Amino acid sequence: ILIEGDNYHALSVLNYTHPKSIDVIYIDPPYNTGAKDWKYNNDYVDSEDPYRHSKWLSFVHNRLSIAKNLLKDDGIICVTIDDNEMPRLWCLLDEVFGENNHLGTVAIRNNPKGRKTERKVSLIHEYAIFYGRSVIAKVKKLEIAPEDKTHSYKQDTDGSWYLPVNLRKQGVDSLAVSAKGKTSDRYFPIYYDPDSKQISSKIKLKIKILPIDVNGQKRIWRRGKDAIDEMYQRGDLWCQETRNGLQVYFKFRGGLDGEPPESIWYDSKYSASEYGTQILDNILGKREAFQYPKSPYAVMECIKVATTNKSAIILDYFAGSGTTAHAVLDLNKEDGGNRQFILCTNNENNICTDVCYPRVQKVIKGYKNSKGDKIDGLGGNLKYFKTAFVGSEPTHRNKKMLTDKSVEMLCIKENTFEEVLNKPVPAGFKQGKAFHVFKNKEKYLAILLDEMQIDAFKKEIGKLRLPVSVYVFSLEGDDFREEFEDLKNKITLCSIPEAILKVYRRIFR
């Protein structure tokens, strides 16, 4: 989904359609460097403005406050920033999300050549700051290739990976005799035949091995007798002569579920100039269509840190050139996921119509790069919406207008976009639609705009085989529950526009 309009207004819409539904918010707000990169009250803020930090904080705070309502309880927001506003942003995020929900800050080497000035250190990095919606949010482990592990992982004949580990336990809770003098049932001999290589915990063979370390300390085995014999039968247990004598080893197959992300990302793929600007130029077929686009790989990594859900919804309300959409589509292609992106941006300097939208469209469908090579599309689909204003006075006319214009908003809320029926009002009445019916694979969305057509509306709903979300237009907030009593087990019922207005009243109070 791509929403063109002021992101504050777009976030207001999403507060109705997606409350506590977003897995990850990734934003790259204006860095407030003093260049003409953002406006406040329709004027560019320059470096000489004595209130530029205050204006920036107000601008970002308003949006963070209503965006927080969109995150799931375990959802995570990632905000990228550089030194210009880093100290103030950190304090602001502490205020909005809570100091205890700061999950870490990463320094990303996004500009290897550095930004050189006469007085300052050459800046080669920016920051990604992670906060959770609540205390149950946590960063996810990143996959590590076995060959990149610091441990000596080896590849088995079936292609799996394992780490050779001594079967004798070391460290905490490894002593065979407790402080009270009780001997553990894990202290027992393992028998070994050097000719046949047989190992057993039950059959007495030529050599007896006890879990005693080089200092003569009695330890315990990591596994019990039955498990040891099973490991030998699978080929996961063997004896090996070492400088400390004959030792028993086994194939440890854990430890490959990833490791926590580190606080410095140095890989060249995070470079904005090499993997941001060049990628965008190749897609659009023109140079510098957008200043400082992010590397999709940096955004992909931030999303991986925030969620492992392959059906996650990722929101970016400073969409810019659309890098977040590109990253989400790349991830879906990489692991067969079904993630959804929601982008919000205004159309300042035609950024939405000339850069963001065509970029996402080409990434989905495919394109020819600057060399004329055909690049296959990543697949997916895109819905493009625009925000518009409706009068705020609570008149019947404004309520009706809001309802008429909310059909697409309800489609977004219910994730149902395929229209299967729209019925016009009867001849002789004013023009318009009496009701709409949309569907997806799991349910229907039915919207009644003219209460005089309720009988015909109910008749159509009765034919539907899947659950139905029903929205009924009512000037006074009546959802006509009695009229739908006979369908109550099949439908969920809501009145509009009152449900929408409640959200707007809270936001714009």
Side-chain angles (χ1 to χ4, degrees):
I1 294 173
L2 171 59
I3 303 175
E4 179 194 320
D6 184 288
N7 56 10
Y8 190 78
H9 305 144
L11 287 170
S12 305
V13 172
L14 293 172
N15 261 256
Y16 173 67
T17 63
H18 284 73
K20 299 191 79 172
S21 300
I22 303 297
D23 296 271
V24 183
I25 296 176
Y26 173 90
I27 55 172
D28 179 36
Y31 284 10
N32 201 20
T33 60
K36 288 189 174 183
D37 59 347
W38 76 285
K39 285 183 176 181
Y40 187 78
N41 291 343
N42 294 320
D43 285 324
Y44 286 110
V45 179
D46 63 41
S47 58
E48 302 302 317
D49 189 326
Y51 299 105
R52 69 186 180 96
H53 295 302
S54 297
K55 291 177 178 179
W56 187 88
L57 280 171
S58 175
F59 172 80
V60 175
H61 180 269
N62 289 340
R63 288 151 177 80
L64 282 176
S65 297
I66 60 173
K68 180 182 177 182
N69 301 324
L70 304 176
L71 280 173
K72 294 178 179 178
D73 285 337
D74 63 346
I76 289 177
I77 184 171
C78 173
V79 188
T80 56
I81 202 71
D82 71 0
D83 286 2
N84 281 286
E85 293 294 355
M86 170 63 163
R88 284 159 289 278
L89 176 63
W90 196 320
C91 292
L92 178 59
L93 289 167
D94 272 352
E95 177 190 329
V96 175
F97 290 92
E99 183 179 347
N100 292 335
N101 290 325
H102 177 228
L103 301 177
T105 299
V106 175
I108 304 175
R109 190 183 70 146
N110 69 318
N111 185 11
K113 294 181 180 178
R115 188 192 308 162
K116 297 176 176 60
T117 65
E118 290 184 6
R119 297 178 57 233
K120 298 182 180 181
V121 171
S122 179
L123 197 65
I124 67 169
H125 72 283
E126 64 182 9
Y127 306 95
I129 313 176
F130 293 86
Y131 275 77
R133 170 70 172 83
S134 70
V135 292
I136 68 171
K138 60 181 180 181
V139 298
K140 309 305 184 288
K141 292 181 179 181
L142 297 177
E143 291 183 6
I144 304 294
E147 57 267 27
D148 294 337
K149 295 279 287 188
T150 55
H151 304 298
S152 302
Y153 275 80
K154 299 180 183 297
Q155 194 163 20
D156 214 337
T157 53
D158 63 357
S160 63
W161 293 82
Y162 69 89
L163 180 67
V165 175
N166 198 312
L167 189 64
R168 186 185 69 243
K169 194 172 183 181
Q170 294 288 342
V172 180
D173 299 329
S174 67
L175 294 179
V177 181
S178 69
K180 295 182 180 181
K182 184 178 179 181
T183 301
S184 169
D185 58 4
R186 292 278 185 90
Y187 182 77
F188 55 82
I190 289 178
Y191 298 99
Y192 173 61
D193 185 338
D195 298 323
S196 65
K197 308 299 182 185
Q198 183 181 359
I199 299 172
S200 177
S201 64
K202 300 168 185 174
I203 303 172
K204 292 184 178 181
L205 303 170
K206 292 181 181 180
I207 298 176
K208 181 172 74 173
I209 307 171
L210 287 166
I212 299 175
D213 66 20
V214 293
N215 298 316
Q217 181 69 58
K218 291 181 178 179
R219 303 283 180 177
I220 62 173
W221 298 117
R222 295 176 185 269
R223 303 287 189 270
K225 289 184 177 181
D226 290 341
I228 287 172
D229 288 348
E230 288 175 7
M231 290 162 66
Y232 169 72
Q233 294 298 326
R234 291 198 307 266
D236 285 354
L237 195 72
W238 71 96
C239 287
Q240 184 174 321
E241 192 66 50
T242 72
R243 63 182 180 179
N244 296 320
L246 194 62
Q247 304 291 322
V248 184
Y249 287 89
F250 74 102
K251 295 177 180 179
F252 174 69
R253 300 187 184 278
L256 292 176
D257 58 340
E259 293 182 346
E262 296 178 341
S263 60
I264 298 177
W265 297 354
Y266 208 75
D267 199 293
S268 62
K269 68 182 180 182
Y270 304 130
S271 167
S273 57
E274 187 173 350
Y275 290 95
T277 303
Q278 287 188 23
I279 286 177
L280 182 60
D281 290 352
N282 264 325
I283 294 171
L284 297 181
K286 54 185 176 182
R287 291 180 55 80
E288 299 184 357
F290 182 79
Q291 294 294 311
Y292 311 120
K294 287 282 186 291
S295 163
Y297 302 109
V299 181
M300 287 171 68
E301 203 79 346
C302 291
I303 295 172
K304 288 178 180 179
V305 167
T307 184
T308 55
N309 180 8
K310 292 185 179 182
S311 297
I313 302 176
I314 295 94
L315 167 65
D316 182 352
Y317 58 88
F318 285 100
S321 68
T323 305
T324 298
H326 193 163
V328 170
L329 294 167
D330 260 331
L331 279 174
N332 285 343
K333 189 73 172 181
E334 181 180 285
D335 62 13
N338 192 35
R339 300 169 188 85
Q340 182 186 30
F341 59 82
I342 302 176
L343 306 184
C344 308
T345 180
N346 62 23
N347 200 29
E348 190 79 37
N349 298 319
N350 297 324
I351 179 62
C352 191
T353 53
D354 293 357
V355 180
C356 187
Y357 171 66
R359 183 214 187 138
V360 179
Q361 188 182 42
K362 287 186 174 186
V363 169
I364 289 173
K365 295 183 176 181
Y367 60 95
K368 286 187 177 181
N369 64 16
S370 57
K371 297 179 180 178
D373 300 326
K374 188 179 184 302
I375 307 299
D376 292 335
L378 297 175
N381 53 67
L382 180 65
K383 296 287 184 182
Y384 188 156
F385 301 96
K386 296 183 180 182
T387 58
F389 287 104
V390 175
S392 60
E393 292 297 317
T395 64
H396 287 183
R397 180 179 180 275
N398 284 345
K399 287 184 178 181
K400 186 65 171 71
M401 187 179 296
L402 175 58
T403 301
D404 290 342
K405 290 186 175 294
S406 295
V407 171
E408 289 177 326
M409 190 191 305
L410 296 175
C411 289
I412 293 174
K413 179 177 176 61
E414 298 291 339
N415 196 31
T416 53
F417 296 102
E418 182 184 346
E419 189 166 27
V420 293
L421 179 66
N422 66 70
K423 182 177 177 61
V425 296
F429 292 81
K430 61 182 179 179
Q431 291 185 343
K433 298 296 181 183
F435 54 82
H436 297 266
V437 179
F438 298 85
K439 75 170 184 177
N440 62 24
K441 293 179 180 179
E442 299 173 348
K443 64 182 179 181
Y444 286 92
L445 162 65
I447 307 168
L448 176 63
L449 302 176
D450 182 356
E451 63 185 82
M452 301 300 292
Q453 298 298 310
I454 193 168
D455 290 335
F457 181 66
K458 287 178 59 179
K459 185 177 180 181
E460 293 296 340
I461 290 176
K463 301 175 183 177
L464 305 178
R465 300 300 181 190
L466 295 172
V468 189
S469 296
V470 175
Y471 292 82
V472 179
F473 168 65
S474 170
L475 289 173
E476 306 303 330
D478 180 11
D479 59 11
F480 300 94
R481 192 163 299 276
E482 290 183 4
E483 284 82 349
F484 287 93
E485 180 68 20
D486 55 328
L487 294 173
K488 65 179 182 180
N489 294 326
K490 184 174 184 176
I491 68 172
T492 55
L493 196 58
C494 182
S495 68
I496 49 174
E498 187 56 34
I500 302 170
L501 290 170
K502 281 182 180 178
V503 173
Y504 287 173
R505 289 188 196 112
R506 172 174 56 80
I507 293 173
F508 298 109
R509 64 185 181 272

